Amino acid sequence: MRWLLTLAVVVLLTLLTQIGGAVWIVTLGLLRRRRAGVAVFLALFLGLYAAGTALSYAIAPIFGRVPLPCFDDGTSRLKMQSPLFCVLNRQYVVPELKEAAAALSRHVDQVFPGTTTLALDANFPFFDGFPLFPHLSHSDGRKLDVAFFYQDAEGSYKDKATRSPIGYFAFEQPRPDSILPCRDREDLLTLRWDLDFLQSLWRPLPLEEGRTAEALRWLSAEGSGFGIEKIFVEPHLAQRLGVEAESIRFQGCRAARHDDHIHMQVGK
Ligand SMILES: [Zn+2]
């Protein structure tokens, strides 16, 4: 029973943070012969985890990945949506993707001054082929999600605002005449979660279509000069925002919905 619980915790921490499961095992090893209470165990785990996170930050560049800014860094208008992504080691990309995302943020801020572009899940710091759950393709440093832009009920843009606390899962619902490629499918094995029960919990902020459309347009046009190869967004949103390009694709019905965020990726 105890082993099962340990295994479950290690798997969960690994899926969420990459290094957390290993740190848990190290903590267990260090306290193996001591009668340590839960508080001591957790304190040691958190201390080692913080050290591991700082070390990852320092050595990820050796593995070809760089962190996106967790806070305003003064050099771009790009920033992680929440420090939580950084605490969980989910803010790493290859340098060319960081450059592309920073250029996107500068562009949107140039067209719409005072706009911050918020990054969501990127990749873990280490190892190609290690996916960032639940985004199975975010496994090589070349994928990044960015948040939509939102406004208030009066139509004023709200900088750094997202509807849900983590930027995900607040879906733009399709309109009656929308393109819906996944209608009437009943896939059992799917990461396309509708999460209807969550929707009423989110802030009721309307999508700011001008900035969101401009970001998609830039990614599919100037973005290709920065290596952007593919952009995923739900077809009904591309239709509503009037953006169309070879690189703006549909991710398929078994991948996560993309009407709550934009997915971008650079080629090799
Ligand atoms: Zn993605």
Side-chain angles (χ1 to χ4, degrees):
M1 197 56 208
R2 224 193 140 96
W3 274 108
L4 264 181
L5 200 66
T6 300
L7 185 69
V9 170
V10 167
V11 169
L12 185 72
L13 285 172
T14 305
L15 289 177
L16 281 178
T17 71
Q18 190 172 47
I19 65 168
V23 173
W24 190 270
I25 291 170
V26 169
T27 312
L28 278 175
L30 287 174
L31 295 178
R32 194 160 43 116
R33 291 180 200 285
R34 302 205 178 106
R35 289 173 158 263
V38 176
V40 172
F41 183 92
L42 283 180
L44 181 61
F45 167 76
L46 288 175
L48 289 173
Y49 180 79
T53 298
L55 194 66
S56 304
Y57 197 89
I59 63 176
I62 300 171
F63 290 78
R65 302 200 189 164
V66 290
L68 295 176
C70 298
F71 303 97
D72 289 313
D73 69 350
T75 65
S76 69
R77 299 309 309 258
L78 175 76
K79 136 182 198 300
M80 296 306 293
Q81 185 262 348
S82 156
L84 184 68
F85 290 99
C86 302
V87 170
L88 300 177
N89 307 309
R90 300 171 80 99
Q91 82 278 32
Y92 293 88
V93 291
V94 294
E96 54 268 42
L97 182 50
K98 181 173 183 175
E99 195 40 56
L104 166 70
S105 73
R106 285 193 297 268
H107 173 78
V108 180
D109 183 55
Q110 202 169 36
V111 181
F112 299 97
T115 303
T116 309
T117 298
L118 296 177
L120 305 173
D121 270 334
N123 308 260
F124 285 133
F126 310 118
F127 311 126
D128 283 355
F130 194 115
L132 181 108
F133 190 78
H135 318 272
L136 300 185
S137 78
H138 290 223
S139 63
D140 56 4
R142 299 183 169 275
K143 320 283 161 44
L144 172 66
D145 293 343
V146 292
F148 288 162
F149 301 91
Y150 294 98
Q151 58 189 352
D152 62 20
E154 281 74 50
S156 306
Y157 167 66
K158 283 180 78 74
D159 194 39
K160 299 179 197 162
T162 52
R163 292 185 55 208
S164 86
I166 56 165
Y168 285 104
F169 306 135
F171 302 115
E172 291 300 312
Q173 302 301 347
R175 296 180 170 173
D177 56 347
S178 299
I179 307 168
L180 293 174
C182 300
R183 182 162 35 200
D184 302 330
R185 285 175 61 117
E186 305 236 341
D187 295 311
L188 287 177
L189 266 183
T190 180
L191 289 167
R192 190 183 174 84
W193 305 328
D194 290 331
L195 304 172
D196 289 333
F197 61 100
L198 288 178
Q199 299 307 309
S200 62
L201 301 178
W202 308 143
R203 300 164 75 189
L205 300 177
L207 186 70
E208 204 292 295
E209 298 190 359
R211 287 167 178 80
T212 308
E214 183 58 23
L216 286 164
R217 190 209 59 73
W218 186 92
L219 284 169
S220 66
E222 291 95 317
S224 65
F226 287 85
I228 299 290
E229 264 187 356
K230 274 189 214 166
I231 304 128
F232 290 154
V233 71
E234 277 317 284
H236 74 82
L237 262 185
Q239 181 188 29
R240 172 174 153 194
L241 297 172
V243 289
E244 202 183 321
E246 167 73 16
S247 54
I248 298 181
R249 313 260 183 96
F250 174 51
Q251 72 283 350
C253 289
R254 288 193 167 188
R257 282 178 70 154
H258 283 76
D259 46 12
D260 59 338
H261 71 277
I262 298 168
H263 167 102
M264 58 198 259
Q265 62 187 72
V266 290
K268 288 217 186 234

